[in-house]
Amino acid sequence: MRGNIEKLVKRKKNKKKRRKRKKVRRKTKVRKKRKKRPKKYRNRKPKQMLPPVSKQVVVLRTLSSGTTSYHSSGYWPYTDDEDVRYTEVRCLKLAMPSNGGYKCSDGSYFNSRCQFFCSPGYTLRGDLSASCQSSRTWSGGNSVCVDVDPPVITCPNIKEKTAEPGKLTAKVTWDTPEGKDTADGILTDVILKGKPSGTHIPEGNHKLSYTVFDRAENKATCRFNVRVRVRRCTPLSVPDNGWMKCDSAADNYGATCEFRCLGGYELRGSAARVCQFNMEWSGLETSCAPMNINVGVRSAAALLDQFYEKRRVLIISAPSAANHYYRFQMTNLQHAQCGLDLRHVTVIELVGVYPAQIGRIRHRPIPPGLALQLRLLLQLSQNSFNMVLLDKQGVDKQRYTFPITAAEIFTTIDTFPLRTEEATLQKEAGQSC
């Protein structure tokens, strides 16, 4: 009974198929004549099309001999006695390049194409892409991302500074530039060539540079200038018959120059001058003129005032020009005139007894009345040999009742505090006997 039912169902299905075929034939106006196939092909099934590539499979044909081959055309003719099967092909996962990656069209499946890329700041070296092959291997993949771009660093603009009064350097500061690596942002070293910020830099134009390195040893360098300016006055010249002592650089802003004159000369103009901000010297031009002693004054005090802070005075008094001590003393001093001038010593002679006494300063005579006043002021006897040494402040420093050598006089003068400073200046100026 059951078998009969199955036969009826099968007949109905066959009737439906026949009806469909008749309808198709009616609609076709021109019928193509079909060629009869040879007997050996009549039982063979039609060619089968491979699945779409998107399914990522290949067709494998197993022959009666047991071997398997792949047909690359996408179609494979086969018969009933052949074993045809579909096998999925996948490649191993690609290694991810450090500091980069890849993007594939279809993962690790057959025919998938992977494009390699690098992170910002890195450059791709090696294969640009790789494809998954039927052998389950990639066509490429030896790619690396390397850092070849140098870091970036920007230096400050030109720095210009003017030195302060009395100085030849200026303290210059600037913000230390910060480098930046375009790859991982890490810098391994920063090197400064030149003086660091916050130091005192001397006059002139100075070139400085900063160099930075990244972890791949790429480097970048930036450069800038630091200019230090010193305001300067026109250099002063040493006056004739005198000398000049200046501090600092002698002509820079704030420098002070002091002047002195040789023995027998007096200072005219300013004893000290300062270089000002407008680069002009203060005071008047300095010169050394021969001392003009006025012997026509009315008192001995007025005569000695002319030597105040300018000259030391050695006064020699004798009862007559024939006095043995007087002659010996004057002979000894005649050969020491250079040493007397170097120590700013003026010799005044008082010879004779009033009213026949005479006096003189070098070759200039002193009136008898003025000569007498000097003896009275300094308490010098007219009847014996006397000698007195006065310093530049008019102070009685030493008295003698007998002649002495010039060397002894010089030794005494060289112990005066002011003379020590004078000797130092004269040595710097190269003045000597």
Side-chain angles (χ1 to χ4, degrees):
M1 185 75 179
R2 186 176 177 182
N4 294 332
I5 294 173
E6 289 178 355
K7 288 180 181 180
L8 291 173
V9 172
K10 192 173 183 181
R11 286 176 185 175
K12 286 183 179 181
K13 287 183 179 179
N14 290 336
K15 283 183 181 180
K16 287 181 180 180
K17 289 180 181 179
R18 285 196 294 268
R19 287 175 186 172
K20 287 182 179 179
R21 288 175 186 169
K22 286 181 182 180
K23 287 181 181 179
V24 172
R25 288 173 184 174
R26 288 172 188 170
K27 290 181 180 179
T28 305
K29 293 181 180 180
V30 180
R31 292 184 179 178
K32 293 182 180 180
K33 292 183 178 181
R34 301 175 106 185
K35 292 182 180 182
K36 289 185 178 181
R37 301 173 69 187
K39 284 185 179 181
K40 62 179 181 179
Y41 292 115
R42 285 179 185 175
N43 296 327
R44 185 173 290 182
K45 295 180 181 179
K47 291 181 180 181
Q48 296 282 327
M49 188 173 181
L50 287 175
V53 178
S54 60
K55 291 184 180 179
Q56 303 298 333
V57 295
V58 293
V59 178
L60 298 177
R61 181 189 182 198
T62 303
L63 303 178
S64 59
S65 61
T67 61
T68 303
S69 63
Y70 166 69
H71 194 275
S72 60
S73 65
Y75 292 93
W76 193 264
Y78 58 90
T79 58
D80 292 339
D81 59 341
E82 294 173 335
D83 180 16
V84 178
R85 57 192 176 90
Y86 295 106
T87 302
E88 185 179 58
V89 176
R90 295 183 68 176
C91 296
L92 295 175
K93 188 176 181 181
L94 273 173
M96 186 77 68
S98 44
N99 301 308
Y102 56 80
K103 186 176 182 181
C104 300
S105 60
D106 196 9
S108 299
Y109 292 99
F110 170 67
N111 255 1
S112 176
R113 183 181 178 86
C114 297
Q115 297 283 345
F116 293 98
F117 62 86
C118 292
S119 302
Y122 292 89
T123 301
L124 183 66
R125 293 289 174 82
D127 299 324
L128 299 178
S129 63
S131 297
C132 180
Q133 304 173 110
S134 61
S135 59
R136 292 183 173 84
T137 59
W138 293 96
S139 62
N142 297 322
S143 303
V144 292
C145 292
V146 294
D147 181 7
V148 297
D149 294 335
V152 178
I153 186 171
T154 303
C155 281
N157 297 326
I158 295 176
K159 293 287 184 179
E160 186 169 344
K161 196 75 178 288
T162 301
E164 296 179 358
K167 294 184 178 180
L168 300 176
T169 61
K171 185 177 181 180
V172 185
T173 59
W174 61 84
D175 294 332
T176 302
E178 296 182 359
K180 183 180 180 182
D181 186 37
T182 56
D184 55 13
I186 299 175
L187 298 177
T188 59
D189 203 1
V190 180
I191 300 174
L192 167 65
K193 185 178 180 181
K195 291 185 177 292
S197 173
T199 57
H200 289 271
I201 299 179
E203 179 184 13
N205 189 29
H206 304 269
K207 295 181 179 180
L208 293 89
S209 65
Y210 279 94
T211 302
V212 293
F213 294 85
D214 60 14
R215 291 199 294 183
E217 296 186 356
N218 299 312
K219 73 173 184 178
T221 302
C222 67
R223 297 174 177 83
F224 67 104
N225 291 349
V226 173
R227 185 177 300 140
V228 176
R229 181 187 176 197
V230 177
R231 303 181 72 87
R232 295 184 181 272
C233 297
T234 303
L236 294 174
S237 57
V238 180
D240 294 336
N241 303 306
W243 69 85
M244 175 179 68
K245 181 182 179 182
C246 301
D247 58 11
S248 194
D251 63 349
N252 60 302
Y253 170 43
T256 301
C257 293
E258 297 179 348
F259 301 90
R260 299 285 178 86
C261 292
L262 299 176
Y265 295 87
E266 61 181 354
L267 192 71
R268 300 285 176 84
S270 299
R273 303 183 71 182
V274 180
C275 180
Q276 303 173 106
F277 181 79
N278 60 358
M279 294 184 289
E280 296 289 340
W281 289 100
S282 64
L284 303 174
E285 185 177 356
T286 305
S287 62
C288 292
M291 284 190 66
N292 184 19
I293 304 300
N294 183 11
V295 295
V297 293
R298 295 183 178 183
S299 66
L303 177 65
L304 295 178
D305 284 344
Q306 298 180 65
F307 297 96
Y308 183 74
E309 293 187 345
K310 298 177 182 178
R311 304 281 294 176
R312 298 178 180 91
V313 181
L314 179 63
I315 302 171
I316 302 173
S317 175
S320 69
N323 183 272
H324 179 70
Y325 283 175
Y326 170 72
R327 291 176 64 184
F328 177 82
Q329 188 66 65
M330 296 308 299
T331 301
N332 189 274
L333 293 179
Q334 284 177 0
H335 302 288
Q337 189 60 49
C338 178
L340 292 171
D341 289 339
L342 195 66
R343 291 165 178 79
H344 302 174
V345 178
T346 297
V347 178
I348 299 178
E349 301 172 52
L350 302 174
V351 182
V353 179
Y354 184 81
Q357 68 180 0
I358 60 172
R360 64 182 179 184
I361 302 175
R362 291 276 180 103
H363 302 292
R364 299 190 63 181
I366 299 175
L370 189 57
L372 178 61
Q373 289 187 49
L374 277 173
R375 279 178 166 169
L376 294 174
L377 179 64
L378 299 174
Q379 299 179 359
L380 298 173
S381 173
Q382 298 183 64
N383 301 317
S384 62
F385 177 83
N386 290 275
M387 192 164 57
V388 61
L389 178 62
L390 305 178
D391 65 7
K392 289 187 176 183
Q393 282 71 37
V395 178
D396 186 343
K397 300 295 290 186
Q398 192 73 40
R399 285 179 177 263
Y400 306 93
T401 58
F402 52 84
I404 60 173
T405 62
E408 291 178 294
I409 296 175
F410 296 159
T411 301
T412 301
I413 295 175
D414 289 342
T415 61
F416 298 170
L418 186 59
R419 173 57 196 160
T420 304
E421 182 183 351
E422 291 174 356
T424 303
L425 293 174
Q426 288 171 344
K427 186 177 181 179
E428 292 176 356
Q431 297 173 355
S432 62
C433 291

